[in-house]
Amino acid sequence: MSATASNSSKMMTSPGDMFNLENPVFCCYLFWATVLVVKMLLMSLLTAVQRFRYKLLAFVPLALRRKIFPNQEDLFFKNLEVQFDDPHVERVRRAHRNDMENILPYFIMSLIYISTNPNPAVACNLFRVASLARIIHTLVYAVYPVPQPSRILAFATMLLITFYMAAVVALRTLTYV
């Protein structure tokens, strides 16, 4: 085997080396991806809580208690109607949809980014900041609405990180195109 071939094989790492628990970048990704998946699952529960928002509070007058259902078969109370336009429920649903539109592409781009063997400190900080930005986005959009620019800053943070990862991947693979 020539010296050039030997050196190039040492520089290249196999996918098995990058996508295992020995790689600190992949471990960091797994942790923060898990946090984001749990956050997205909790959004479903938050939607349900919004449907029954005041029902559980006995001191709230009956007329103010909310019982909102989008399906006829869910109406187990006789005096209810199907309702699709409750602003509290719709706000949580929009936030959940926004998560799916942004977190899922981020997951894919992050895995591709890991395959470029990035600097561990940079990669782990990108994963942390992106995840915390999405958590903040949910808090200021669905849990406790705060005026702009809080939501756009949280949204843009993850979006810019995803674009940064895409640029790194594109630049590192450009010579092979």
Side-chain angles (χ1 to χ4, degrees):
M1 185 182 226
S2 71
T4 310
S6 171
N7 287 341
S8 67
S9 66
K10 287 180 184 177
M11 291 176 59
M12 293 183 65
T13 56
S14 70
D17 292 338
M18 288 185 230
F19 298 107
N20 66 37
L21 296 179
E22 302 297 320
N23 182 354
V25 174
F26 186 62
C27 288
C28 189
Y29 167 79
L30 289 177
F31 175 80
W32 288 106
T34 302
V35 168
L36 289 174
V37 167
V38 169
K39 186 200 91 53
M40 288 176 65
L41 291 172
L42 290 174
M43 292 298 289
S44 298
L45 294 177
L46 184 58
T47 303
V49 166
Q50 290 297 333
R51 292 187 192 284
F52 288 98
R53 187 168 188 171
Y54 300 113
K55 184 178 185 315
L56 301 175
L57 301 174
F59 57 86
V60 174
L62 192 57
L64 295 178
R65 295 183 194 173
R66 212 178 327 170
K67 294 175 244 148
I68 297 144
F69 299 96
N71 303 312
Q72 188 69 33
E73 63 271 12
D74 295 337
L75 300 176
F76 48 88
F77 299 107
K78 294 180 183 180
N79 59 344
L80 295 178
E81 293 181 18
V82 173
Q83 185 177 351
F84 296 105
D85 59 352
D86 181 75
H88 302 285
V89 174
E90 289 306 310
R91 177 177 283 278
V92 174
R93 290 182 66 207
R94 285 191 308 268
H96 195 186
R97 186 174 56 239
N98 188 282
D99 278 350
M100 290 185 285
E101 292 169 352
N102 292 283
I103 293 174
L104 299 178
Y106 165 79
F107 284 162
I108 294 167
M109 194 69 248
S110 295
L111 284 172
I112 297 169
Y113 176 70
I114 291 169
S115 73
T116 67
N117 200 15
N119 179 310
V122 172
C124 288
N125 282 321
L126 289 173
F127 299 149
R128 287 180 192 118
V129 171
S131 299
L132 292 174
R134 281 317 293 191
I135 292 168
I136 291 169
H137 181 270
T138 297
L139 292 174
V140 300
Y141 189 23
V143 178
Y144 185 76
V146 175
Q148 291 287 15
S150 58
R151 194 170 76 223
I152 192 69
L153 291 174
F155 168 79
T157 300
M158 182 182 237
L159 186 66
L160 290 173
I161 288 171
T162 306
F163 279 134
Y164 169 79
M165 290 179 185
V168 168
V169 170
L171 291 173
R172 289 190 182 168
T173 59
L174 193 59
T175 59
Y176 302 105
V177 178

